[in-house]
Every structure is written in C-alpha cells, then in structure tokens.
Amino acid sequence: MTGGPPQFVRISAARCAREALAGFDRGAPLVFPGRAYRLAMRALALLPRGLQRRQAARSAAGVRSAAEGTAPVG
C-alpha cells in the first residue's frame, strides 16, 4: 500500500509483535501497539459518535481507493 500511516505512529514489526504478545499474556482483549497509536485510539473514544463514524468512513475510503489504485475521496 502506498502512503501508509504517518511516521509518528509507525513502529517496527518486532515491537508490534512484542507488544501484542505482552497484551496476550496480560489477557488484554484488544492491544494498540505503539504509544502514539494507543493515545490516538484513546482520544478517539472521547469524540462524539458522529465524528467517530465520519473518521472511520474517511479512513475506509482511503484504504479502498489505495487498494484500487485511485486517489482517496474526501
């Protein structure tokens, strides 16, 4: 996929695996690897549901257009 996440949320595959396995060992049902991504996801939960849906739709449109090789919508 071209583009990808912003640089400040990128982490190595090894770090992602370590954090995911540590969460599994703790019995965590959901793990957000990387400090920046974890903070972003926690902040997202504080937004009104309408804004959450709009952001999810925008993200999904970007992923779909990247998969199809076209420019993102929105």
Side-chain angles (χ1 to χ4, degrees), residues 22-49:
F24 178 77
D25 288 343
R26 289 189 313 269
L30 187 61
V31 176
F32 297 114
R35 182 177 297 137
Y37 187 61
R38 188 168 34 258
L39 289 173
M41 295 310 292
R42 287 182 182 159
L44 184 62
L46 301 175
L47 293 176
R49 184 75 61 187

